Amino acid sequence: MIEYRNLRVALLGAGSVGAQVASLLLEHGPELATRAGAGLELVGIAVRDLDAPRTADLPRELFTTDAESLILGADIVIELMGGIEPARTLILQALGSGADVITGNKALLATHGPELFEMAEQVGAQLYYEAAVAGAIPIIRPLRDSLAGDRIKRILGIVNGTTNFILDRMDTAGESLEQALATATDLGYAEKSDPSADIEGFDAAQKTAILASLAFHTTVPLDLVYREGITGVTLAEVEAAKRAGYVVKLLAICERLTDADGVEGVSARVYPALVPRSHPLAAVHGAKNAVFIEAEAAGDLMFYGAGAGGVETASAVLGDLVSAARRHVIGGPGVAESTHANLPILPISHVTTRYQITLSVTDEPGVLASVATLFSEHGVSVEAVTQSVSSSEEGAHPTATLVIGTHEASEAALAATVAALGESAVVSHVTSVLRVEGS
Ligand SMILES: NC(=O)c1ccc[n+]([C@@H]2O[C@H](COP(=O)([O-])OP(=O)(O)OC[C@H]3O[C@@H](n4cnc5c(N)ncnc54)[C@H](O)[C@@H]3O)[C@@H](O)[C@H]2O)c1
Ligand SMILES: N[C@@H](CCO)C(=O)O
Ligand code: NA
């Protein structure tokens, strides 16, 4: 029997993910030790309430309410409490004492990442966070290691399961946004008290900041991630998208942009977009996540699977644990976060994409020409126009619905066009403006 060096592992938090991490570690400890080359001894679990119900049957003697004392002397600390404080302070303390830290805390990484990475670098410790983006799906390590020799052009991600579930229900079951949200809440996907982190795109924006930072070797602060949630998406839009061969998805987009002078910058943004049904992301149903990467040499890659769930996410945490343990065995300093490119983060106005605009207009001669003129005056090239619905009430002007697809145009030009359409006498209202991505 091989005698391994024993590593002391402290777990902070025993909620959905933490309880599963503890359970799997206790069950598979000897096998993980063989892979890691070191024993992995769970020395304690910091909890808020010793008697709270858990999703796994865990030895009570491991529980403590004193997280600070628990991390003293630990070789590896796993933070799964969530939130900013006390997670931030405890992680800084753990790193400061030389422990490697594993976390799934995207909210903390997206807001205080640089401070944590700096501390890790100072002491030669490592911070692992595979669980923070797209749960069980390996995406952090592929970006950091497997693709370190390539250049990422663009990432399109479905990184929030709740919103993907809601949009999928609207698309496949014809439910309204409200009905689909109620179903998501009943199934435990969306938070009952406050689903806004999911449906307003905050959760996706945090993950976008983390992905863009890694992909472009540049610190991307959360407040520079442009964000729109799904609350404005209507069933009519989803159904119109379906008829036109698209599906509406909330996308996390990280893109390398190059201006006319060849100067590079980064765009990080989250919004609901039309995705062609032929794109691999269109096949991501229910609460599943997927990250589609376009790399210069590797071409297109897609990573698909469970973006949430206690036991699924625990898989990512335990993978990090084995990596951390291996590093302890081998020794040497950790690899610092790579931010050498330090590219400027560009505002949404610099983005160029395609759009689909739906207008309600008066149905009479010359209207189409006036609308087309407004587009051309703002430098937006029209690709296709469909007059999809026509109606007329007695005594009123007949109205028509125009769906206008554009070629690539800048956000700035598109915004000016939409403003002009809103003021035009022939346009009753601009019903919908959606970006088209992935084509
Ligand atoms: N649930 C998922 O599917 C999922 C997926 C990816 C990432 N994550 C991330 O993993 C982390 C944990 O998520 P979760 O779903 O397990 O959350 P959770 O709310 O189920 O569990 C958090 C646990 O930490 C405990 N806790 C909070 N503050 C504490 C403190 N000061 N001391 C001791 N215990 C404390 C809570 O009582 C709770 O039991 C979060 O950062 C979350 O964003 C979760
Ligand atoms: N609320 C998140 C959980 C994982 O971060 C989601 O719906 O995907
Ligand atoms: Na992941």
Side-chain angles (χ1 to χ4, degrees), residues 129-142 306-307 313 316:
Y129 51 99
E130 185 57 77
V133 180
I137 303 175
I139 190 63
I140 300 301
R141 201 168 281 105
T313 307

Side-chain angles (χ1 to χ4, degrees), residues 116-247:
L116 305 180
F117 292 122
E118 204 177 297
M119 172 62 93
E121 193 174 354
Q122 264 175 28
V123 299
Q126 194 83 48
L127 182 58
Y128 298 83
Y129 51 99
E130 185 57 77
V133 180
I137 303 175
I139 190 63
I140 300 301
R141 201 168 281 105
L143 279 171
R144 190 158 65 175
D145 297 335
S146 319
L147 291 165
D150 209 329
R151 276 169 62 87
I152 307 297
K153 294 193 292 187
R154 186 161 68 152
I155 298 175
L156 298 178
I158 294 173
V159 294
N160 182 268
T162 305
T163 46
N164 199 57
F165 176 86
I166 292 171
L167 293 171
D168 193 42
R169 289 291 281 207
M170 293 169 78
D171 183 71
T172 58
E175 288 185 358
S176 68
L177 183 94
E178 292 71 25
Q179 284 171 321
L181 173 58
T183 315
T185 309
D186 286 347
L187 290 171
Y189 294 137
E191 289 285 326
K192 273 198 176 63
S193 55
D194 181 18
S196 65
D198 294 312
I199 63 175
E200 299 291 358
F202 292 108
D203 174 76
Q206 290 165 356
K207 294 165 178 167
T208 307
I210 296 170
L211 286 178
S213 300
L214 267 176
F216 303 120
H217 306 274
T218 291
T219 301
V220 177
L222 179 60
D223 56 5
L224 297 186
V225 178
Y226 176 84
R227 176 190 55 78
E228 285 174 32
I230 65 162
T231 48
V233 178
T234 63
L235 182 57
E237 282 178 317
V238 171
E239 286 174 342
K242 200 171 186 171
R243 287 192 295 275
Y246 296 106
V247 59

Side-chain angles (χ1 to χ4, degrees), residues 11-20 45-49 52-55 64-67 79-83 85-87 90 103-108 129-136 191 203 206-207 306-314 316-317:
L11 174 63
L12 313 180
S16 307
V17 185
Q20 295 303 319
I45 307 173
V47 297
R48 223 168 6 197
D49 174 359
R54 311 278 161 202
T55 63
T64 171
T65 53
D66 185 359
E79 184 277 308
L80 291 168
M81 303 186 308
E85 289 293 354
L90 290 169
T103 179
N105 195 332
K106 57 225 150 197
L108 179 63
Y129 51 99
E130 185 57 77
V133 180
E191 289 285 326
D203 174 76
Q206 290 165 356
K207 294 165 178 167
V311 71
E312 294 88 342
T313 307
V317 174

Side-chain angles (χ1 to χ4, degrees), residues 81-388:
M81 303 186 308
I84 306 300
E85 289 293 354
R88 171 184 157 272
T89 302
L90 290 169
I91 290 178
L92 286 171
Q93 281 172 356
L95 289 170
S97 72
D100 280 348
V101 171
I102 295 159
T103 179
N105 195 332
K106 57 225 150 197
L108 179 63
L109 287 168
T111 49
H112 294 79
E115 177 189 24
L116 305 180
F117 292 122
E118 204 177 297
M119 172 62 93
E121 193 174 354
Q122 264 175 28
V123 299
Q126 194 83 48
L127 182 58
Y128 298 83
Y129 51 99
E130 185 57 77
V133 180
I137 303 175
I139 190 63
I140 300 301
R141 201 168 281 105
L143 279 171
R144 190 158 65 175
D145 297 335
S146 319
L147 291 165
D150 209 329
R151 276 169 62 87
I152 307 297
K153 294 193 292 187
R154 186 161 68 152
I155 298 175
L156 298 178
I158 294 173
V159 294
N160 182 268
T162 305
T163 46
N164 199 57
F165 176 86
I166 292 171
L167 293 171
D168 193 42
R169 289 291 281 207
M170 293 169 78
D171 183 71
T172 58
E175 288 185 358
S176 68
L177 183 94
E178 292 71 25
Q179 284 171 321
L181 173 58
T183 315
T185 309
D186 286 347
L187 290 171
Y189 294 137
E191 289 285 326
K192 273 198 176 63
S193 55
D194 181 18
S196 65
D198 294 312
I199 63 175
E200 299 291 358
F202 292 108
D203 174 76
Q206 290 165 356
K207 294 165 178 167
T208 307
I210 296 170
L211 286 178
S213 300
L214 267 176
F216 303 120
H217 306 274
T218 291
T219 301
V220 177
L222 179 60
D223 56 5
L224 297 186
V225 178
Y226 176 84
R227 176 190 55 78
E228 285 174 32
I230 65 162
T231 48
V233 178
T234 63
L235 182 57
E237 282 178 317
V238 171
E239 286 174 342
K242 200 171 186 171
R243 287 192 295 275
Y246 296 106
V247 59
V248 181
K249 294 287 186 193
L250 183 71
L251 293 184
I253 305 177
C254 311
E255 193 170 20
R256 188 191 293 275
L257 299 178
T258 309
D259 72 12
D261 302 321
V263 179
E264 286 191 331
V266 168
S267 162
R269 52 197 203 267
V270 173
Y271 45 62
L274 298 176
V275 174
R277 289 208 173 241
S278 54
H279 192 281
L281 286 174
V284 178
H285 295 289
K288 285 287 195 291
N289 282 196
V291 182
F292 188 83
I293 297 182
E294 300 167 22
E296 271 184 21
D300 295 347
L301 304 164
M302 187 156 101
F303 301 78
Y304 167 89
V311 71
E312 294 88 342
T313 307
S315 161
V317 174
L318 290 171
D320 280 350
L321 178 61
V322 172
S323 296
R326 285 180 183 147
R327 198 185 77 76
H328 272 268
V329 172
I330 295 164
V335 182
E337 273 305 279
S338 165
T339 55
H340 66 86
N342 202 16
L343 296 173
I345 318 301
L346 302 174
I348 187 79
S349 54
H350 284 53
V351 168
T352 297
T353 188
R354 290 169 54 217
Y355 303 85
Q356 190 157 293
I357 299 120
T358 308
L359 306 172
S360 178
V361 298
T362 337
D363 194 5
E364 59 190 27
V367 166
L368 195 54
S370 326
V371 168
T373 305
L374 282 180
F375 276 82
S376 75
E377 277 174 1
H378 292 92
V380 178
S381 173
V382 172
E383 188 200 20
V385 182
T386 334
Q387 181 170 317
S388 53

